[in-house]
Amino acid sequence: MKKILVFCILFVCCAAVFAIDGTVIAVSGKVEIQRPNGDWAELKEGDTIKITIPEGSIISTGFKSQADVKLGGSKLTVHQLTRVTLRELTEGENKVTTDLFLDAGALDANVKPLNNKANGFQIQTPVVTSSVRGTVFSVDGLGNETTAEGSVYNVNAMGGSFTVNAGESVSVEDGVIVSPFAKTSQNAS
């Protein structure tokens, strides 16, 4: 009887959250993936690009290189000279969770729901953590951010928080986060 009870508890716990694989959908230039076991694999133009990316993998792009990656219902563009770690990609009963660490470089994220579930999408950099719930935004390893659609909630290393709404940007100068400002023709990138 105890064995059945333990099995049922384990089954319920395991059934609640499932890992999802990310998929590389486009590659240009030199793009490498370090799998959790430490092995590096290079993706080249013309290679089969339906490569699954398990949690713990690191994506690294070279000069003039880029990769488009599908993570759940969202699309991530990994720009040149970028190093990003996929820390979590899971689907629960009511929520899809994506957790990335951007060590260097820049990303564009188009966050969309998967299977009509809530989206917990987070990108952490050495300077700031950005969390979104369905939006389009860009962020780099220094914490500079521009939001095209929706809004992005941010928490900096000191515990301060702020939101960057559609059409706004935030920049970092000498390690200090400058308050969000509206994009103008002078500061638009």
Side-chain angles (χ1 to χ4, degrees):
M1 185 65 166
K2 287 183 183 179
K3 289 181 183 179
I4 293 173
L5 181 60
V6 170
F7 175 78
C8 289
I9 291 171
L10 288 173
F11 179 77
V12 169
C13 290
C14 292
V17 178
F18 298 99
I20 307 171
D21 284 334
T23 304
V24 177
I25 55 177
V27 174
S28 65
K30 183 178 181 178
V31 178
E32 296 177 314
I33 298 172
Q34 183 181 31
R35 307 236 181 240
N37 66 5
D39 293 340
W40 283 93
E42 185 173 349
L43 298 176
K44 298 178 185 172
E45 263 186 86
D47 280 356
T48 303
I49 55 177
K50 288 289 185 184
I51 305 295
T52 58
I53 305 169
E55 290 179 24
S57 294
I58 298 171
I59 300 172
S60 180
T61 56
F63 184 65
K64 293 187 179 182
S65 301
Q66 179 174 302
D68 291 329
V69 181
K70 185 166 177 57
L71 301 172
S74 303
K75 180 184 169 196
L76 186 72
T77 299
V78 183
H79 292 286
Q80 69 174 345
L81 303 174
T82 296
R83 186 176 175 105
V84 62
T85 303
L86 177 58
R87 297 198 295 198
E88 181 181 2
L89 182 56
T90 56
E91 181 177 5
E93 186 176 329
N94 299 313
K95 182 178 180 182
V96 175
T97 301
T98 305
D99 184 10
L100 306 169
F101 182 78
L102 176 61
D103 188 44
L107 302 171
D108 291 341
N110 187 345
V111 181
K112 302 281 185 188
L114 177 68
N115 301 327
N116 294 318
K117 295 181 179 180
N119 221 335
F121 192 98
Q122 174 177 290
I123 299 175
Q124 183 179 0
T125 74
V127 178
V128 69
T129 299
S130 303
S131 300
V132 298
R133 305 293 183 266
T135 192
V136 178
F137 74 107
S138 299
V139 63
D140 67 22
L142 299 175
N144 298 308
E145 180 180 300
T146 300
T147 302
E149 294 177 17
S151 60
V152 180
Y153 178 76
N154 297 273
V155 178
N156 66 21
M158 304 298 282
S161 64
F162 56 93
T163 300
V164 182
N165 295 308
E168 293 180 338
S169 295
V170 65
S171 64
V172 177
E173 296 174 7
D174 298 323
V176 176
I177 296 175
V178 179
S179 298
F181 55 88
K183 285 184 80 169
T184 65
S185 58
Q186 270 188 331
N187 60 22
S189 50

